[in-house]
């Protein structure tokens, strides 16, 4: 794995199943990352220290996932000049995830948080890779190959549906 450039943080261990998708994608793209738990409400000093030290430690992007009130991404964004990608997580205390989505999405002017879909850990990894890839040609090429593979899969599906008919494709 290359140098650590992306920090992945989450409000609690219960978010790990979602946030691990970002980690898996970064591994596929050979982008170094660190992953830890930082709660905006239960460990605010840890959150402040993490945000203040992230840039000094060489991070280029922070992915922050949180459920419920989901203050972690916005609070971290208020404490660093690094880009922060927020991942709203549908948690056990969530209102169908809308509370998390709106908490991350509705940031005040001056404190932007890039927000991906509910439980969108993988998309957060893809977005972080895009940001790193803007300045790293190897990462950019890895991402281009990934996106081409998405296109190839759709083209193959289209050929199957066109050649076999939708009824046969559904049966297979």
């Amino acid at each position: 794995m290359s140098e650590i450039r992306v920090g992945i943080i989450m409000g609690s261990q219960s978010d790990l199943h979602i946030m691990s998708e970002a980690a898996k994608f970064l591994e596929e793209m050979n982008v170094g990352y660190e992953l830890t738990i930082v709660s905006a409400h239960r460990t605010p000093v840890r959150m402040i220290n993490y945000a203040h030290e992230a840039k000094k430690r060489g991070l280029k992007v922070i992915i922050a996932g949180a459920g419920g009130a989901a203050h972690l991404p916005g609070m971290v964004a208020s404490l660093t000049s690094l880009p922060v990608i927020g991942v709203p997580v549908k948690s056990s205390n969530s209102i169908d995830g809308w509370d998390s989505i709106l908490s991350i999405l509705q940031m005040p002017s001056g404190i932007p948080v890039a927000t991906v879909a509910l439980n969108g850990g993988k998309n957060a990894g893809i977005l972080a890779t895009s940001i790193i890839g803007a300045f790293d040609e190897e990462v950019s090429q890895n991402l281009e190959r990934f996106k081409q593979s998405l296109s190839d899969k759709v083209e193959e599906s289209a050929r199957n549906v066109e050649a076999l008919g939708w009824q046969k494709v559904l049966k297979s």
Side-chain angles (χ1 to χ4, degrees), residues 35-79:
L35 187 145
T36 192
I37 298 170
V38 179
S39 172
H41 301 110
R42 293 174 294 242
T43 61
V45 173
R46 179 175 169 80
M47 177 198 65
I48 291 167
N49 291 338
Y50 187 91
H52 281 168
E53 298 297 319
K55 190 171 186 178
K56 293 176 197 168
R57 292 186 301 102
L59 295 184
K60 305 297 183 203
V61 181
I62 297 172
I63 300 172
H71 290 113
L72 182 62
M75 290 302 298
V76 169
S78 76
L79 296 164

Side-chain angles (χ1 to χ4, degrees), residues 80-95:
T80 184
S81 61
L82 294 175
V84 176
I85 302 168
V87 180
V89 176
K90 185 177 179 184
S91 61
S92 61
N93 66 339
S94 184
I95 306 169

